[in-house]
mmCIF file of all heavy atoms in Angstrom:
data_model
loop_
_atom_site.group_PDB
_atom_site.id
_atom_site.type_symbol
_atom_site.label_atom_id
_atom_site.label_comp_id
_atom_site.label_asym_id
_atom_site.label_seq_id
_atom_site.Cartn_x
_atom_site.Cartn_y
_atom_site.Cartn_z
ATOM 1 N N LEU A 340 9.936 3.537 9.640
ATOM 2 C CA LEU A 340 9.742 2.329 8.800
ATOM 3 C C LEU A 340 8.894 2.627 7.578
ATOM 4 O O LEU A 340 9.170 2.182 6.477
ATOM 5 C CB LEU A 340 9.138 1.180 9.611
ATOM 6 C CG LEU A 340 10.056 0.423 10.547
ATOM 7 C CD1 LEU A 340 9.250 -0.553 11.360
ATOM 8 C CD2 LEU A 340 11.076 -0.268 9.711
ATOM 9 N N THR A 341 7.808 3.364 7.801
ATOM 10 C CA THR A 341 6.867 3.721 6.733
ATOM 11 C C THR A 341 7.616 4.542 5.629
ATOM 12 O O THR A 341 7.468 4.273 4.433
ATOM 13 C CB THR A 341 5.691 4.530 7.249
ATOM 14 O OG1 THR A 341 5.026 3.710 8.259
ATOM 15 C CG2 THR A 341 4.695 4.827 6.150
ATOM 16 N N LEU A 342 8.371 5.513 6.074
ATOM 17 C CA LEU A 342 9.123 6.311 5.101
ATOM 18 C C LEU A 342 10.205 5.535 4.417
ATOM 19 O O LEU A 342 10.481 5.695 3.223
ATOM 20 C CB LEU A 342 9.717 7.581 5.759
ATOM 21 C CG LEU A 342 8.638 8.631 6.221
ATOM 22 C CD1 LEU A 342 9.319 9.703 7.047
ATOM 23 C CD2 LEU A 342 7.918 9.193 4.988
ATOM 24 N N LEU A 343 10.865 4.640 5.159
ATOM 25 C CA LEU A 343 11.902 3.773 4.573
ATOM 26 C C LEU A 343 11.306 2.939 3.457
ATOM 27 O O LEU A 343 11.897 2.859 2.342
ATOM 28 C CB LEU A 343 12.517 2.879 5.635
ATOM 29 C CG LEU A 343 13.551 1.887 5.183
ATOM 30 C CD1 LEU A 343 14.798 2.574 4.673
ATOM 31 C CD2 LEU A 343 13.902 0.919 6.289
ATOM 32 N N VAL A 344 10.181 2.339 3.682
ATOM 33 C CA VAL A 344 9.506 1.529 2.658
ATOM 34 C C VAL A 344 9.068 2.420 1.505
ATOM 35 O O VAL A 344 9.293 2.063 0.297
ATOM 36 C CB VAL A 344 8.298 0.754 3.253
ATOM 37 C CG1 VAL A 344 7.465 0.119 2.175
ATOM 38 C CG2 VAL A 344 8.735 -0.261 4.277
ATOM 39 N N ALA A 345 8.493 3.566 1.769
ATOM 40 C CA ALA A 345 7.994 4.450 0.713
ATOM 41 C C ALA A 345 9.120 4.930 -0.160
ATOM 42 O O ALA A 345 8.969 5.006 -1.410
ATOM 43 C CB ALA A 345 7.263 5.632 1.316
ATOM 44 N N GLU A 346 10.300 5.216 0.399
ATOM 45 C CA GLU A 346 11.395 5.745 -0.389
ATOM 46 C C GLU A 346 12.344 4.718 -0.984
ATOM 47 O O GLU A 346 13.184 5.057 -1.762
ATOM 48 C CB GLU A 346 12.222 6.726 0.519
ATOM 49 C CG GLU A 346 11.392 7.927 0.970
ATOM 50 C CD GLU A 346 10.965 8.800 -0.164
ATOM 51 O OE1 GLU A 346 11.695 8.984 -1.133
ATOM 52 O OE2 GLU A 346 9.808 9.317 -0.079
ATOM 53 N N SER A 347 12.120 3.477 -0.601
ATOM 54 C CA SER A 347 13.058 2.450 -1.103
ATOM 55 C C SER A 347 12.778 2.074 -2.577
ATOM 56 O O SER A 347 11.684 2.291 -3.093
ATOM 57 C CB SER A 347 12.892 1.186 -0.239
ATOM 58 O OG SER A 347 11.606 0.612 -0.434
ATOM 59 N N ALA A 348 13.814 1.600 -3.194
ATOM 60 C CA ALA A 348 13.699 1.134 -4.601
ATOM 61 C C ALA A 348 12.922 -0.184 -4.632
ATOM 62 O O ALA A 348 12.973 -0.982 -3.674
ATOM 63 C CB ALA A 348 15.037 0.939 -5.216
ATOM 64 N N ALA A 349 12.187 -0.413 -5.690
ATOM 65 C CA ALA A 349 11.386 -1.631 -5.818
ATOM 66 C C ALA A 349 12.214 -2.899 -5.690
ATOM 67 O O ALA A 349 11.777 -3.928 -5.119
ATOM 68 C CB ALA A 349 10.643 -1.614 -7.142
ATOM 69 N N ASP A 350 13.453 -2.853 -6.174
ATOM 70 C CA ASP A 350 14.293 -4.065 -6.100
ATOM 71 C C ASP A 350 14.853 -4.336 -4.689
ATOM 72 O O ASP A 350 15.501 -5.299 -4.464
ATOM 73 C CB ASP A 350 15.437 -3.977 -7.114
ATOM 74 C CG ASP A 350 16.431 -2.838 -6.847
ATOM 75 O OD1 ASP A 350 16.098 -1.960 -6.032
ATOM 76 O OD2 ASP A 350 17.495 -2.830 -7.484
ATOM 77 N N GLN A 351 14.529 -3.458 -3.717
ATOM 78 C CA GLN A 351 14.950 -3.649 -2.370
ATOM 79 C C GLN A 351 13.834 -4.326 -1.506
ATOM 80 O O GLN A 351 13.994 -4.467 -0.269
ATOM 81 C CB GLN A 351 15.342 -2.338 -1.715
ATOM 82 C CG GLN A 351 16.589 -1.710 -2.320
ATOM 83 C CD GLN A 351 16.853 -0.351 -1.742
ATOM 84 O OE1 GLN A 351 15.962 0.334 -1.308
ATOM 85 N NE2 GLN A 351 18.110 0.024 -1.761
ATOM 86 N N LYS A 352 12.759 -4.722 -2.143
ATOM 87 C CA LYS A 352 11.613 -5.274 -1.423
ATOM 88 C C LYS A 352 11.971 -6.390 -0.481
ATOM 89 O O LYS A 352 11.638 -6.420 0.700
ATOM 90 C CB LYS A 352 10.529 -5.728 -2.400
ATOM 91 C CG LYS A 352 9.331 -6.295 -1.740
ATOM 92 C CD LYS A 352 8.329 -6.783 -2.765
ATOM 93 C CE LYS A 352 7.186 -7.488 -2.108
ATOM 94 N NZ LYS A 352 6.217 -7.984 -3.066
#
Side-chain angles (χ1 to χ4, degrees):
L340 280 174
T341 303
L342 291 173
L343 177 67
V344 170
E346 297 297 323
S347 66
D350 64 347
Q351 294 176 332
K352 178 181 176 182

